[in-house]
Amino acid sequence: MRELVRQARGLSRRRFLAGAAGTVGTGALLAACGTGGTATADGAATSDGPLRWANWTAYLDQDEDGTRFPTLEAFEEQSGIAVEYAEDIEDNDSFYEKVSSQLGSGQDIGYDVVTLTDWMAARWIRQELVAELDRSRMPNTANILPNLDAVDFDDGRHYSLTWQSGFAGIAWDTELIPGGLRNVSDLWNPEYRGRVQVLSEMRDTMGLIMLENGTDPAGSWTTDDWFDALDVVQRNLDSGQISQVRGNSYLEDLASGDAVACLAWSGDITSLNYEHDGRFAFAIPDAGGMLWSDNLMVPKASPRRAQAEDLFNYYYDPVVAAEVAAWVNYVTPVQGAQEAMAEVDPELAQDPMIFPTEELLEQVHVFRTLTPAEEERYYGQFLVAIGASGT
């Protein structure tokens, strides 16, 4: 299997884009990946049909042309399982709305693997919408980092496995803001009015603002603490300081110059810099940043749980995990991947955004799990705030 990966190996995104001499822009890359696009091995669907995987944009390694997925093709070749890969997740909530009616009625939702952030994964598990995984069929999952094997929403990982983790912080265009930013409140500088964006992922946007306000989103905060942070969002939306509340598409606005500063995800900015000669900066704010994870799960009505388990086991091999991390530039959940990364890209093996140091981890927080009642109330209020703004 490892030899197949090496034969199909794509370059790290940094090496690929450096070699392309800046000729591949964000629009071209996203078009090449295209939401709804698929990647299947030559020739062959199994009698049960392909394994259907919904993921986020630019969240799997690609080849030099941006049209193929080398590790996925290596999996198809060594397993005989065809995979239909679709970049169909813009944010957690819109994806949930897309499939919720089938989920609620126990029907096949059209995907056998979904990749959802912790809080949404917790909802699916709580509502018994996902299949229980057989860890005995996935020996490589013993490589999961210990702190990710004991999450409060799935202790022991019976229903989910971490795909990648990452940080939420602040980002800016260094050509237009050469002095840089250090705090979330720096985004509210009137000079940037109408060119600031925040994330549609509630826990990242609200968590960063709560930290700025002196509240730990991982702790036992109060309703007043929550609404103090929401007031910041509402005030800056009403004034026009915030122009958009975005999912993954905020990258397009940074690249075009429509946004000059924003709340952002770490790996996105690393990747964008490879395309734009280091034009953008990302930082964990002085008050702290957010740490999140996305998770692989199998919807309960999927007829292909065993094939999905084969896929999960494959991606928990340290060599394969390193190949993926070299492209997506997020924190890999797989022990041994750092050593394997040295063979792919020695410089990336020392990148704290992929292999974080203890010092960095002390600066970030995981938003505490909300009860169903809290989620309904707080998320509803967040949607009201951003909906009223027309974003």
Side-chain angles (χ1 to χ4, degrees):
M1 179 189 68
R2 294 184 181 211
E3 184 57 30
L4 286 170
V5 171
R6 292 188 176 97
Q7 291 173 3
R9 173 172 290 171
L11 298 171
S12 72
R13 192 184 304 215
R14 177 168 62 85
R15 288 179 175 174
F16 159 48
L17 290 167
T23 60
V24 180
T26 302
L29 181 61
L30 294 180
C33 303
T35 298
T38 63
T40 57
D42 289 339
T46 66
S47 59
D48 292 330
L51 181 70
R52 304 157 298 173
W53 181 3
N55 206 350
W56 301 70
T57 299
Y59 215 18
L60 185 62
D61 58 297
Q62 298 172 41
D63 68 351
E64 295 182 31
D65 297 326
T67 58
R68 296 168 54 240
F69 304 91
T71 61
L72 190 60
E73 291 189 354
F75 168 76
E76 292 177 306
E77 185 174 347
Q78 66 94 13
S79 69
I81 298 170
V83 181
E84 183 178 280
Y85 183 76
E87 294 177 327
D88 280 355
I89 303 177
E90 160 72 6
D91 61 43
N92 287 285
D93 192 61
S94 62
F95 184 78
Y96 178 76
E97 290 300 318
K98 174 181 176 181
V99 300
S100 59
S101 60
Q102 296 101 312
L103 275 173
S105 59
Q107 298 176 11
D108 183 354
I109 66 170
Y111 304 100
D112 306 298
V113 176
V114 295
T115 316
L116 302 175
T117 308
D118 284 344
W119 66 272
M120 183 59 79
R123 179 192 294 182
W124 284 43
I125 292 169
R126 185 175 64 245
Q127 296 178 355
E128 300 182 350
L129 301 174
V130 293
E132 184 171 2
L133 302 174
D134 184 352
R135 289 285 292 269
S136 70
R137 295 193 69 255
M138 301 180 289
N140 286 340
T141 63
N143 295 325
I144 191 170
L145 293 170
N147 64 320
L148 294 174
D149 202 25
V151 292
D152 61 1
F153 63 86
D154 188 15
D155 191 11
R157 290 293 187 177
H158 299 288
Y159 299 94
S160 65
L161 288 164
T162 305
W163 171 242
Q164 305 288 308
S165 299
F167 305 110
I170 51 177
W172 63 94
D173 187 324
T174 60
E175 294 179 358
L176 300 174
I177 309 178
L181 305 175
R182 297 189 60 179
N183 303 291
V184 172
S185 56
D186 292 338
L187 299 175
W188 317 141
N189 185 326
E191 292 182 19
Y192 315 142
R193 184 177 182 273
R195 302 177 75 185
V196 171
Q197 297 187 4
V198 298
L199 297 166
S200 59
E201 284 297 321
M202 176 196 74
R203 286 157 178 79
D204 292 332
T205 289
M206 293 295 289
L208 287 166
I209 294 173
M210 291 170 77
L211 286 166
E212 178 86 359
N213 288 350
T215 299
D216 183 358
S220 55
W221 42 267
T222 67
T223 298
D224 286 343
D225 294 328
W226 168 265
F227 281 104
D228 286 345
L230 190 64
D231 284 346
V232 174
V233 176
Q234 187 72 71
R235 182 169 62 252
N236 285 284
L237 282 167
D238 291 345
S239 70
Q241 184 73 19
I242 297 173
S243 63
Q244 295 283 341
V245 181
R246 293 284 228 172
N248 270 135
S249 50
Y250 75 93
L251 290 174
E252 300 169 24
D253 295 322
L254 275 178
S256 70
D258 289 340
V260 299
C262 62
L263 303 184
W265 293 308
S266 53
D268 284 350
I269 303 305
T270 301
S271 301
L272 198 62
N273 273 332
Y274 298 154
E275 302 168 52
H276 294 274
D277 297 323
R279 176 177 143 200
F280 304 97
F282 173 88
I284 301 296
D286 288 349
M290 299 302 297
L291 173 65
W292 48 264
S293 296
D294 291 323
N295 303 270
L296 300 166
M297 300 191 300
V298 180
K300 199 167 189 177
S302 166
R304 302 179 183 88
R305 191 200 72 184
Q307 291 96 322
E309 290 169 343
D310 290 342
L311 181 79
F312 299 171
N313 186 63
Y314 167 81
Y315 275 108
Y316 264 75
D317 181 282
V319 172
V320 180
E323 293 284 348
V324 173
W327 183 270
V328 303
N329 298 290
Y330 280 109
V331 179
T332 176
V334 179
Q335 297 180 82
Q338 187 167 19
E339 293 78 5
M341 178 70 84
E343 297 184 21
V344 180
D345 192 321
E347 186 175 336
L348 283 184
Q350 303 304 316
D351 188 340
M353 290 293 150
I354 300 175
F355 304 102
T357 62
E358 288 300 320
E359 181 181 5
L360 178 57
L361 290 174
E362 288 175 359
Q363 301 174 44
V364 294
H365 305 251
V366 177
F367 204 102
R368 72 168 173 84
T369 300
L370 301 178
T371 67
E374 287 176 325
E375 183 176 323
E376 182 177 359
R377 178 180 187 186
Y378 295 135
Y379 192 59
Q381 291 290 338
F382 181 74
L383 290 178
V384 168
I386 65 176
S389 73
T391 61

